[in-house]
Amino acid sequence: MKVLVIGGGAREHALCRALSLDPEVTALHCAPGNAGIAEVAALHPVDAQDGAAVTGLAVRLGLGPADLVVIGPEAPLVAGVADAVRERGIPVFGPSARAARLEGSKAFAKDVMAAAGVPTARAYVCATDAEVDQALDAFGAPYVVKDDGLAAGKGVVVTSDLAAAREHARACERVVIEEFLDGPEVSLFAVTDGESVVPLQPAQDFKRAYDADEGPNTGGMGAYSPLPWADPKLVDDVLATVLQPTVDELRRRGTPFTGLLYAGLAVTSRGVRVIEFNARFGDPETQAVLARLRTPLAGLLHAAATGTLAQFPPLRWSEGAAVTVVVAAANYPATPRSGDVIEGLDAVAAQDAPDAYVLHAGTRRDEAGRVVSAGGRVLSVTATGPGLAAARERAYRAVGRVSLAGSHHRTDIAAAAARGEG
Ligand code: AMP
Ligand code: GLY
């Protein structure tokens, strides 16, 4: 199978790594990729958001068209890149632009959830300052204020400061104000062909920049899987109450969802509630989840892309745990600095592999061939082990070998869960 992956972050590196380990994959390509992905896939300097360019590449990949195109990030999905490739008859793992609105518009997602009876936070979509004030007043503190559109995980402000809540609302194009959900968060991914839904193992993400959940929201600073504190019935419950009804509702609307449905959940005292949907694999949870998946990845994604998931055998998972720690650039998430040299990557490869490895996010090679930082989240170090404590120790040992001037990372990823806490 000849596979083309679109994107160039740590999620795409994790996807490419898993695909490269699948014996069915005979050729692996990625556009645009990054310095780490270059070690497992042939890179192509194609703009991921340009549907015609991506389709052109998929059609003339090597000696014929790709057998499977996997679209990693949300922006190309929302821009209709999956539609463009699918129109040429090439199997695509990734939803159409219309189905990707589940992520692209929080108001649309709320509408789908209401129609499908999916439990979520109560919310108001506000158009004026007066409506904003009314909604803030109705829910009370802590306030949850969200930009309706895509904002790379940074469009949400959760605060008890009324002035700050108002200020964020004014800065949003279109604003959604919702009820605060307490309780731990879970990311649950499901692979779907628009009809059958196959959930993966749950993971937890760490959204805040600093230890103890301090600091601003980020795209995600680390993740782990499995969740020893979670109810063993969680996955089945979410499949029945959230994932399957959402997929059924989108099919009913004539916009079936093919690809990865990501449910961001809060496990509240009143049951599980959806915080948000995404239309693609989460970053960094994917790094931890795929580290434990034993089923070869290409066959699974191909079955979803070709509508044959119902016949796919049950997924196999390692019994162990996986932990991912993100190394972020100086000043991330505000205005990350780039161009700093990254050292220690060879040491990780020599001393920690295969239990721990580095997945590249914002990296590139400079003129001298050195790997330098080129984005906010620069690397994610992933490790596996028999349990969370061992995986954590291996991940942090590898992080300790990497040096990047000014970088920061959280030191408490999976720490509470490894101690048996939630
Ligand atoms: P989102 O972009 O919708 O995933 O929101 C980013 C983060 O904000 C989530 O991961 C939560 O930590 C937090 N958040 C969003 N919505 C809520 C809510 N209704 N109640 C509490 N926290 C929330
Ligand atoms: N880890 C959060 C996200 O991928 O949106």
Side-chain angles (χ1 to χ4, degrees):
M1 198 188 311
K2 203 162 27 160
V3 185
L4 170 62
V5 175
I6 301 301
R11 163 187 46 216
E12 287 75 28
H13 195 177
L15 288 165
C16 284
R17 180 176 185 277
L19 290 165
S20 74
L21 296 172
D22 183 337
E24 269 199 72
V25 175
T26 51
L28 185 58
H29 298 258
C30 184
N34 62 36
I37 297 173
E39 291 171 20
V40 291
L43 300 193
H44 303 268
V46 163
D47 177 1
Q49 252 141 278
D50 181 339
V54 170
T55 306
L57 176 63
V59 167
R60 60 173 163 72
L61 202 62
L63 295 173
D67 300 301
L68 175 67
V69 175
V70 179
I71 301 180
E74 61 273 24
L77 294 167
V78 170
V81 172
D83 306 74
V85 177
R86 205 172 275 125
E87 264 165 37
R88 294 296 293 266
I90 297 174
V92 186
F93 185 82
S96 67
R98 289 176 72 193
R101 288 180 68 210
L102 206 54
E103 170 163 3
S105 165
K106 293 187 188 294
F108 175 77
K110 287 287 184 195
D111 186 59
V112 170
M113 284 189 267
V118 170
T120 184
R122 287 177 297 130
Y124 294 108
V125 182
C126 302
T128 65
D129 286 356
E131 284 176 15
V132 165
D133 282 342
Q134 247 172 11
L136 292 174
D137 191 47
F139 290 134
Y143 305 105
V144 181
V145 182
K146 300 188 175 187
D147 198 319
D148 183 48
L150 286 184
K154 288 173 263 176
V156 177
V157 164
V158 180
T159 177
S160 290
D161 177 346
L162 182 59
R166 281 192 176 129
E167 191 187 332
H168 184 59
R170 264 196 297 275
C172 294
E173 284 261 317
R174 188 168 174 225
V175 58
V176 178
I177 291 178
E178 62 180 47
E179 159 193 31
F180 177 77
L181 300 173
D182 61 357
E185 286 181 40
V186 173
S187 299
L188 185 61
F189 303 160
V191 170
T192 175
D193 57 7
E195 203 160 341
S196 298
V197 181
V198 176
L200 306 187
Q201 292 262 312
Q204 190 171 53
D205 180 16
F206 292 74
K207 287 261 166 71
R208 301 283 186 151
Y210 312 127
D211 282 7
D213 294 331
E214 302 276 351
N217 255 323
T218 69
M221 294 298 290
Y224 67 93
S225 177
L227 312 178
W229 50 269
D231 183 337
K233 294 197 307 295
L234 177 78
V235 173
D236 286 343
D237 283 354
V238 175
L239 175 61
T241 60
V242 173
L243 299 167
Q244 190 71 57
T246 301
V247 166
D248 291 345
E249 172 62 18
L250 285 166
R251 191 175 65 250
R252 197 189 62 73
R253 292 180 180 213
T255 53
F257 187 103
T258 306
L260 197 288
L261 177 59
Y262 163 150
L265 306 161
V267 183
T268 77
S269 50
R270 292 179 299 132
V272 172
R273 299 278 184 278
V274 174
I275 294 179
E276 63 160 355
F277 281 125
N278 293 313
R280 37 85 195 167
F281 280 99
D283 186 348
E285 300 95 308
T286 299
Q287 290 87 302
V289 171
L290 292 185
R292 300 183 50 239
L293 180 66
R294 289 282 162 271
T295 300
L297 185 63
L300 174 65
L301 304 187
H302 190 263
T306 53
T308 56
L309 258 191
Q311 290 98 54
F312 201 79
L315 301 185
R316 291 180 291 112
W317 296 93
S318 90
E319 291 295 315
V323 171
T324 290
V325 179
V326 170
V327 177
N331 285 328
Y332 176 77
T335 46
R337 192 171 85 197
S338 60
D340 292 302
V341 176
I342 303 161
E343 273 163 321
L345 299 175
D346 292 340
V348 175
Q351 295 172 63
D352 303 305
D355 297 329
Y357 46 89
V358 174
L359 296 168
H360 292 226
T363 69
R364 63 177 177 82
R365 282 200 188 265
D366 69 3
E367 303 70 36
R370 300 174 304 182
V371 178
V372 299
S373 59
R377 291 187 292 176
V378 179
L379 302 168
S380 64
V381 177
T382 300
T384 53
L388 282 175
R392 226 180 96 68
E393 204 183 296
R394 289 170 180 172
Y396 280 109
R397 195 187 310 142
V399 168
R401 294 194 216 279
V402 175
S403 72
L404 167 63
S407 70
H408 60 100
H409 62 268
R410 282 183 61 156
T411 67
D412 62 350
I413 303 302
R419 288 194 304 266
E421 299 159 21

